[in-house]
Each structure stands twice: as structure tokens, then as C-alpha cells.
Amino acid sequence: MRKKLTSATGAAKTDSKPDAKSITHYHAHIYYDPASTRDRAARLRERVAEAFPKAILGRWHDELVGPHPRAMYQIAFPRALLASFLPWLMLNRNGLTILVHPETGDDLADHTDHAAWLGGTLRLRLASFARHRKDRA
């Protein structure tokens, strides 16, 4: 699968269609402001832990990490939970912005072309993917 960059968004485009079987699991990134919405993010986190015990709650990141332009924590969840977890997040996000994306092994495409946003979109820091790819080479 060859990749191209679009000039408008910088998002990866592929010449062939990805196969849904390539999705190993999903991530939800819950964005918050440490000074004003961390408490809402904490309540959401507690509710997720209670309602979806198979979801794995990641660490809090009050400082920017990777491509994420705001403080956030990640929730990793298996493919089987998507059909129930995504609608639950839609209805229970309490005003927080959330990025949901698959894990296919192509981090750039997963965070751009394959991503779904709840509550608006944020401009990701995509240069972090270029650095990561250089480190792998």
C-alpha cells in the first residue's frame, strides 16, 4: 500500500483500500484542559472503567505528548467493544473533545484518514509521526 500526502491537510492517502481485518483494536483520546475540565475528564474516566471493564485506561498527560495538541488520556479497547462504546461516548462525553481511531499499524493514517472526532476537531501535530518514522528507519 503506497502512501501520498495531500497538500490541504497533510493527511496520508493510500492507493488501495485498507482492510477492516487490519484493525487490531481502537484508541479513544479524551482531551481536557488541566485547569478547567480535568474534573469532567476524571468523571468520564470513572464511568468508562465501570461500564467497560475490558477498556484499558491510559495515563494522564497534562503535558503535550505525540501528535496531541492538548492534555489527554487514552482509552484502548478491543474491536468487539466499538459498537457499544462509541455510541456511549457520543452520549456521555460531557462536552469534551474525543478522537477515536483504529490501530492498523499506520499511525499517521489512523490518526487522520481513519479517525472520527466527537465534539469538534483539533489540529494534530503531525510532524511527530515523521520523526517517529525516521527513528524506525
Side-chain angles (χ1 to χ4, degrees):
M1 189 181 316
R2 293 192 306 173
K3 303 208 181 344
K4 301 176 191 175
L5 289 180
T6 64
S7 58
T9 64
K13 296 292 180 190
T14 57
D15 290 338
S16 61
K17 292 182 181 179
D19 185 347
K21 293 177 185 172
S22 67
I23 298 171
T24 59
H25 60 283
Y26 290 89
H27 287 168
H29 297 278
I30 313 301
Y31 296 101
Y32 61 91
D33 179 325
S36 62
T37 59
R38 195 176 204 276
D39 59 334
R40 279 193 274 158
R43 283 194 302 276
L44 178 62
R45 184 181 175 90
E46 290 168 7
R47 294 183 65 206
V48 167
E50 183 179 310
F52 299 94
K54 291 187 179 181
I56 300 168
L57 303 174
R59 294 178 306 205
W60 290 89
H61 295 282
D62 287 343
E63 301 294 325
L64 301 186
V65 61
H68 305 288
R70 286 193 190 159
M72 65 95 197
Y73 63 84
Q74 172 183 287
I75 302 170
F77 59 98
R79 291 170 46 161
L81 279 186
L82 181 65
S84 59
F85 189 47
L86 184 58
W88 188 93
L89 279 176
M90 290 172 173
L91 299 175
N92 291 281
R93 65 182 182 79
N94 197 14
L96 297 170
T97 298
I98 301 174
L99 167 65
V100 179
H101 68 81
E103 279 294 313
T104 66
D106 185 339
D107 290 339
L108 178 59
D110 290 345
H111 283 78
T112 56
D113 294 340
H114 307 154
W117 288 92
L118 306 178
T121 61
L122 300 175
R123 186 175 187 89
L124 296 177
R125 302 175 321 144
L126 300 179
S128 67
F129 292 123
R131 285 192 304 273
H132 183 68
R133 284 184 173 169
K134 286 180 186 176
D135 292 344
R136 283 188 187 175

